[in-house]
Amino acid sequence: MDRLNQPDTHILRSMKRLAGHLRPEDPVELGPDFSITMLELVTLFLTHVRQMILKHWNIPLKKKEAI
């Protein structure tokens, strides 16, 4: 999703509001000639949140211990 890092990509003010009004298959316009489905957007967001939690997690865990 390199397209999300382009300067002409739009900023969403409230993904929660969008998710409440759109179906998973509905397109979300993120820039000129660029859209992804609401499901893809939520999936990308949650993947990012998971990565940030794992990267910045400050509670010690043993290897293979569930989070």
Side-chain angles (χ1 to χ4, degrees):
M1 281 286 152
D2 290 332
R3 184 71 175 93
L4 291 174
N5 296 319
Q6 299 301 315
D8 60 345
T9 301
H10 300 173
I11 295 174
L12 298 175
R13 295 192 54 85
S14 175
M15 191 169 64
K16 182 179 170 184
R17 186 177 310 138
L18 266 179
H21 294 291
L22 297 177
R23 295 173 297 176
E25 65 274 9
D26 287 343
V28 178
E29 300 295 326
L30 296 174
D33 302 320
F34 178 61
S35 67
I36 60 176
T37 66
M38 189 66 215
L39 179 60
E40 290 173 306
L41 181 62
V42 170
T43 301
L44 287 169
F45 173 73
L46 293 176
T47 299
H48 176 74
V49 169
R50 182 180 187 279
Q51 290 171 348
M52 291 298 102
I53 289 171
L54 293 174
K55 182 178 179 179
H56 299 287
W57 186 263
N58 61 3
I59 299 174
L61 295 175
K62 296 175 186 168
K63 282 192 173 187
K64 297 187 179 183
E65 186 176 350
I67 296 177

